[in-house]
Amino acid sequence: MDWHETIFELIDMRSFSNLWFWIALAVVWSTASHWVLGVPYDMVARARRYGGQASDDLDDLVRINTNRLLFIGRVSGLWLLGFTCFILTGLALLGFVYRIEFAQAVFLLGFPMSMVAALNLSTARLIQSEAAQGELLWKRLSRHRTYVQAIGMVSIFVTALWGMYQNMSVGPFGS
């Protein structure tokens, strides 16, 4: 037996039956819900609880990240949108038309994250147009986090259903 056969037997290369895929899915969504517009959510809680310098730090960090996101959106937003749509369309075709399981898994990670990216841009634009600070900023960031968590829950549910279907239809009892 060759060394690469041993490795492929040890590490299952099918995405939905691989523990590493599910760990990556959990890490992606926990990270996405913790970092709200590039700001760790514990800073929002600290600013709400203590105010003062913590609130000023949060306002500054959100202003910096909001300006950065909106600048990237203005300068290269259409290129990024086109490239993202190209990649996601290619993954969807490879995964669901040509039945490549790895492409399905990457699509089920990437498509919801693209919705989170669009939500980030929308929230950044809203925060900047309102010049949100203090209580209004905390509410915006909390609402944004709730939306990201809702997208994550739906995404994890759909991915789990699709993964179970794939494992049952392709596994030892499937075709």
Side-chain angles (χ1 to χ4, degrees), residues 81-159:
L81 178 66
F83 184 71
T84 302
C85 289
F86 171 75
I87 294 295
L88 288 175
T89 301
L91 286 171
L93 287 173
L94 285 171
F96 300 105
V97 175
Y98 294 107
R99 298 275 189 212
I100 298 174
E101 189 173 317
F102 181 75
Q104 293 172 359
V106 174
F107 178 81
L108 289 172
L109 278 170
F111 179 69
M113 288 307 294
S114 69
M115 293 177 6
V116 169
L119 183 64
N120 283 344
L121 197 57
S122 174
T123 303
R125 195 168 283 135
L126 185 61
I127 287 171
Q128 191 178 56
S129 69
E130 293 176 342
Q133 290 184 335
E135 186 70 31
L136 180 59
L137 180 62
W138 306 335
K139 286 181 182 178
R140 289 276 174 235
L141 293 175
S142 295
R143 185 174 297 135
H144 177 80
R145 183 178 191 222
T146 302
Y147 292 155
V148 169
Q149 288 174 334
I151 293 170
M153 285 189 304
V154 171
S155 171
I156 290 170
F157 180 73
V158 168
T159 303

Side-chain angles (χ1 to χ4, degrees), residues 48-98:
R48 183 178 290 157
R49 189 175 311 122
Y50 299 117
Q53 184 63 42
S55 181
D56 293 341
D57 291 346
L58 177 68
D59 291 345
D60 291 340
L61 194 53
V62 169
R63 180 185 48 79
I64 291 168
N65 286 333
T66 299
N67 289 338
R68 183 180 150 272
L69 280 172
L70 294 176
F71 176 76
I72 291 170
R74 279 191 302 273
V75 170
S76 57
L78 287 176
W79 283 101
L80 286 172
L81 178 66
F83 184 71
T84 302
C85 289
F86 171 75
I87 294 295
L88 288 175
T89 301
L91 286 171
L93 287 173
L94 285 171
F96 300 105
V97 175
Y98 294 107

